[in-house]
Amino acid sequence: MLAAVPLLILPFVVYNLAMIGMFGGIAGLNAEMLSLSMLSGATWTMRFGDLLIVVALLLLFVELLKATRTSTRVLMDHLLSMILFIAFLIEFLLLAPAATQLFFILMTISFIDVIAGFAVSMRSAGRDVSIGL
């Protein structure tokens, strides 16, 4: 059952913790985590919010790998991913601290997880059906 929990809940929880004041609040998501001087002379900076997006993209990759399974748990995984996306959408529409570009990108990643998960599952289920010719 725990394997069906969508991993994208982690960025959702981190952002919600920032909304209630942890990590320095929403402004803390703009805190600089890393700064590197490039060979071109430019300075590249990684902020906490940027790191959150990178983590969410990595988790999306794992979620897509999970969608390729053909078991009964996949349906529960898709259902929970859909509920997570709905939670993202409700917060984005109703809560002022969630109306940021960072939250919108996280919500879009969650939407891609839902759509791609269903598409991959339907595609792999079609290959599992044997016609018997």
Side-chain angles (χ1 to χ4, degrees):
M1 180 67 180
L2 193 58
V5 175
L7 298 175
L8 289 174
I9 199 164
L10 296 174
F12 182 75
V13 168
V14 169
Y15 195 94
N16 278 304
L17 289 174
M19 280 197 306
I20 62 170
M22 293 185 75
F23 312 114
I26 298 298
L29 295 174
N30 289 324
E32 188 176 298
M33 301 280 299
L34 176 69
S35 181
L36 296 174
S37 295
M38 307 304 285
L39 293 175
S40 65
T43 303
W44 177 75
T45 59
M46 168 78 76
R47 301 191 186 287
F48 185 68
D50 301 332
L51 180 63
L52 193 59
I53 291 172
V54 170
V55 168
L57 288 171
L58 292 172
L59 294 174
L60 175 63
F61 175 72
V62 175
E63 284 292 322
L64 291 177
L65 289 178
K66 283 173 44 179
T68 61
R69 296 177 307 191
T70 53
S71 69
T72 56
R73 284 187 286 174
V74 174
L75 185 61
M76 181 59 75
D77 189 27
H78 294 322
L79 178 67
L80 293 175
S81 292
M82 178 64 85
I83 291 170
L84 179 64
F85 170 68
I86 291 169
F88 265 112
L89 185 61
I90 289 170
E91 282 194 15
F92 181 71
L93 294 173
L94 299 180
L95 298 177
T100 64
Q101 293 86 350
L102 173 61
F103 195 81
F104 179 78
I105 292 170
L106 293 174
M107 181 181 66
T108 304
I109 291 171
S110 177
F111 177 71
I112 291 170
D113 174 36
V114 171
I115 298 302
F118 281 119
V120 167
S121 292
M122 287 189 298
R123 184 83 167 159
S124 62
R127 291 182 182 180
D128 285 344
V129 175
S130 62
I131 298 174
L133 294 174

